[in-house]
Amino acid sequence: MQLLALTLPDLIVLIVIAFAAGVVRGFSGFALSALVMASAVLILPPKELIPVCWVLEMTASLMMVRGGIAEADKRIALGLAVSSALGVPLGLYLTTTLPVDQTRMLALVVLIALAALQLARVRLPFLASNFGLYASGLVAGVVTGIASIGGMVVALYVLAQDHPARVMRASLVLFLFASSLFSLMWLLGYGVMDELALQRGITLAMPVAGGVVIGKVLFRPSLERFYKPFALCLLLSLALLSLIRSVLN
């Protein structure tokens, strides 16, 4: 495992995490990076996980975007993607300058707060405006740069629109695909995306792909009302566990 700079036990754990995150992504349309960050942040620091998450998100997006574009709200998805691209460099700056422990704690706290807001079904009326659209995208970009969990911010925004589950899922898939394309230039510019990150991402892409296939099969009309609470409950549990471990360590 010298090529990936990982021990064999750590690699096995990362493969299991990647597969589980792929299942959730295929089912819900988001939360892949958030689940990886919450679960794997004790193995690798956020700075090293962010480019790995990019590879995994792109793998999932390429598998899902073709079938989801027709149902997506393209104005919202692309508006969020463009504005989020402007926030990514600030988030990456914080990630590359703050100490690893502080970045890890910040990432987990942000993740828990966003998951809790969504579980509480918090709806903010101003998000329905154009200002809300671009402000949400900008914040999502900053959070993506810090912890690669901008999809959670966007999911909170989409909740305010009261879209059907299939439209929300498709919009998130399109957003994540477009925002990944925009964010790549920042990852390269900051030197975060390097050969080691690509090797790790490619290694974990296969279990993610397998998980996405299973998750897509599980997404059925009869289960639409359950998909978001399931993903958020799992995400919140993992984030709290990681935060507790970080504090104890």
Side-chain angles (χ1 to χ4, degrees):
M1 300 301 104
Q2 294 181 350
L3 184 65
L4 301 177
L6 293 168
T7 65
L8 180 58
D10 283 347
L11 178 59
I12 293 173
V13 171
L14 288 174
I15 288 173
V16 173
I17 290 171
F19 175 77
V23 173
V24 173
R25 175 68 144 81
F27 183 65
S28 68
F30 72 106
L32 187 155
S33 291
L35 282 169
V36 171
M37 291 295 295
S39 307
V41 73
L42 297 182
I43 297 175
L44 294 172
K47 180 181 177 180
E48 295 182 30
L49 278 175
I50 288 172
V52 173
C53 286
W54 185 92
V55 176
L56 303 184
E57 287 285 7
M58 184 55 69
T59 300
S61 292
L62 290 173
M63 296 178 66
M64 298 180 69
V65 72
R66 183 177 179 182
I69 289 180
E71 293 184 323
D73 187 322
K74 298 176 184 61
R75 183 189 71 85
I76 286 177
L78 297 178
L80 289 167
V82 171
S83 54
S84 74
L86 302 177
V88 170
L90 175 57
L92 285 172
Y93 172 78
L94 295 175
T95 295
T96 54
T97 56
L98 290 176
V100 171
D101 289 341
Q102 291 184 20
T103 306
R104 177 184 298 161
M105 294 286 287
L106 179 60
L108 290 170
V109 169
V110 169
L111 180 58
I112 290 168
L114 292 173
L117 283 172
Q118 292 185 59
L119 278 173
R121 298 183 177 232
V122 173
R123 286 175 169 79
L124 305 175
F126 78 91
L127 290 178
S129 65
N130 285 332
F131 170 79
L133 171 68
Y134 298 116
S136 297
L138 189 64
V139 172
V142 174
V143 176
T144 294
I146 292 174
S148 197
I149 55 174
M152 294 294 294
V153 177
V154 171
L156 181 61
Y157 172 83
V158 174
L159 260 182
Q161 314 306 308
D162 290 322
H163 286 315
R166 66 183 183 279
V167 175
M168 173 183 168
R169 179 174 178 264
S171 299
L172 286 169
V173 168
L174 181 56
F175 161 77
L176 289 169
F177 176 70
S179 63
S180 293
L181 295 176
F182 289 132
S183 63
L184 177 59
M185 62 180 179
W186 295 119
L187 294 176
L188 293 171
Y190 272 82
V192 176
M193 180 66 77
D194 55 19
E195 184 178 352
L196 178 60
L198 282 174
Q199 290 171 342
R200 288 170 172 171
I202 292 170
T203 300
L204 297 176
M206 187 62 70
V208 162
V212 168
V213 171
I214 294 175
K216 289 173 67 176
V217 172
L218 293 175
F219 185 78
R220 303 172 183 174
S222 61
L223 298 178
E224 284 189 16
R225 66 183 184 277
F226 299 115
Y227 90 96
K228 186 175 179 63
F230 165 78
L232 289 172
C233 287
L234 179 60
L235 172 63
L236 188 57
S237 299
L238 290 170
L240 286 170
L241 179 61
S242 295
L243 184 61
I244 291 171
R245 287 179 177 174
S246 296
V247 172
L248 292 179
N249 290 339

